[in-house]
Amino acid sequence: MSASRILQNLRSAAPLVAPSLLSCDFAELREEIRRVERAGARLLHLDIMDGHFVPNLSFGIPVVEAIRRSTELPLDVHLMISEPARYVRRFREAGADLLTVHIETLPDPRPVLEEIRSLGAAAGISLNPPTPVERLDGCLDLCDLVLVMSVMPGFGGQKFEPVALDKLRHLKAAAPGVLLSIDGGVNVETVDGCAAAGADLLVAGSALFSQKDYGRFLREMTGRAKDAKEVRV
Ligand code: DX5
Ligand code: ZN
C-alpha cells in the first residue's frame, strides 16, 4: 500500500493505539503479532536502538524483515540511532512504511526526510523531552508524522513526562496536516491527556504487553482517547 494511502487510513481511524513490540515476548514474536492483530491493532511500532544515540540496544534490519513477513499491518519504524541517513534505505527495503528519525541526530533534517519520501515511505521526525519544539520549525513541511517523546528514549516502562502535551498542542496548531504520535509512558492514566492535546497515534509498549487481554486493553484505550478528543473538539 502506498504511503499516502496508509497515512489517509491512519488519519481517518485516529486516535489509534500503536503497539510497541519492544515489550512483547520475543520468543513468541509471530504469535504476539497475531495477538495484537486479533486485538484490533492497525499498525505496529518498531523501536530500533543503537547503543549510541540511546543507551540500549534492541533489534535491527533482519528482525524488521521477519516482522514484515509475519504481517500486513503498516510498520512504523522509530530509528533511535545516530546517522540515520546511512540506514533509511535498508529499513525501507526491510519493509518499513513509516520511518521516523530523531532531530537530535541531524544538523539538517531536510535531506533525510526528503530521502525517506523518495523511497516511498512516510517521513517522521521525533524529539526528546528536553528538545524544544521550535527545533522542528524548518522541516515540518517535509514531515508526514511527528513523534513526540514523553520519556527519554531507550527503555520501555518509564514514567510519562507531561512536557510532551504542550508540544502536541503547539504542533496541532502549527502543523494541522501532520499525523501526531506520542511515545513513552502511555497507559490508561495518561491516554486522555494525550488525545485531548491532539495525539493521533498512541504508542504503547509495557502497558499493553503486561495485559492478559490485549483486545480489552486496546478497546479501553481507544474509547478513552475518543472521548477525550471529542471534549477537545
Ligand atoms: C522508548 C521507545 C518506546 C517504548 C515505549 O524508547 O521509543 O516506543 O517501547 O514503551 P512504554 O510504552 O513502556 O513506555
Ligand atoms: Zn518508540
Side-chain angles (χ1 to χ4, degrees):
M1 207 190 291
S2 71
S4 60
R5 189 66 194 276
I6 289 170
L7 288 165
Q8 200 187 326
N9 289 349
L10 294 175
R11 212 168 275 128
S12 59
L16 286 174
V17 174
S20 161
L21 294 185
L22 189 65
S23 294
C24 82
D25 179 353
F26 283 103
E28 296 191 13
L29 183 54
R30 193 188 288 263
E31 188 49 37
E32 287 280 59
I33 292 169
R34 285 285 96 79
R35 288 184 194 124
V36 291
E37 284 179 343
R38 280 198 297 267
R42 301 285 293 270
L43 76 164
L44 298 176
H45 181 89
L46 308 184
D47 289 299
I48 312 298
M49 301 180 185
D50 67 351
H52 184 261
F53 174 62
V54 290
N56 197 10
L57 293 161
S58 58
F59 53 85
I61 291 161
V63 175
V64 175
E65 282 169 354
I67 293 169
R68 178 72 295 160
R69 289 196 302 275
S70 307
T71 184
E72 304 266 300
L73 290 178
L75 302 182
D76 168 30
V77 176
H78 177 191
L79 296 178
M80 286 162 275
I81 63 176
S82 302
E83 298 189 67
R86 288 176 62 187
Y87 302 98
V88 287
R89 174 177 291 275
R90 288 167 65 198
F91 278 102
R92 172 62 178 153
E93 286 166 0
D97 297 294
L98 301 96
L99 267 168
T100 295
V101 293
H102 267 264
I103 188 77
E104 298 85 2
T105 67
L106 296 161
D108 178 6
R110 295 184 68 85
V112 67
L113 292 168
E114 278 167 351
E115 187 184 357
I116 293 169
R117 281 186 169 177
S118 77
L119 293 168
I125 195 98
S126 184
L127 75 172
N128 289 344
T131 304
V133 71
E134 291 75 21
R135 279 281 300 277
L136 305 184
D137 281 351
C139 69
L140 286 173
D141 59 311
L142 293 176
C143 295
D144 301 301
L145 171 137
V146 177
L147 177 64
V148 176
M149 291 307 302
S150 36
V151 298
M152 275 308 276
F155 300 90
Q158 302 182 75
K159 191 169 175 293
F160 185 85
E161 294 189 34
V163 66
L165 299 176
D166 292 333
K167 292 180 186 173
L168 285 175
R169 282 188 281 266
H170 172 94
L171 290 162
K172 193 81 199 160
V178 174
L179 207 58
L180 297 182
S181 186
I182 185 155
D183 187 3
V186 179
N187 56 37
V188 287
E189 272 104 55
T190 55
V191 69
D192 312 47
C194 298
D200 301 300
L201 303 181
L202 307 145
V203 177
S206 54
L208 167 64
F209 287 101
S210 60
Q211 303 288 320
K212 277 210 173 67
D213 185 340
Y214 299 168
R216 190 174 153 191
F217 177 80
L218 290 191
R219 282 191 298 279
E220 179 175 5
M221 290 282 282
T222 313
R224 282 174 179 262
K226 284 202 172 115
D227 292 348
K229 189 177 170 184
E230 268 158 32
V231 171
R232 179 175 59 82
V233 169

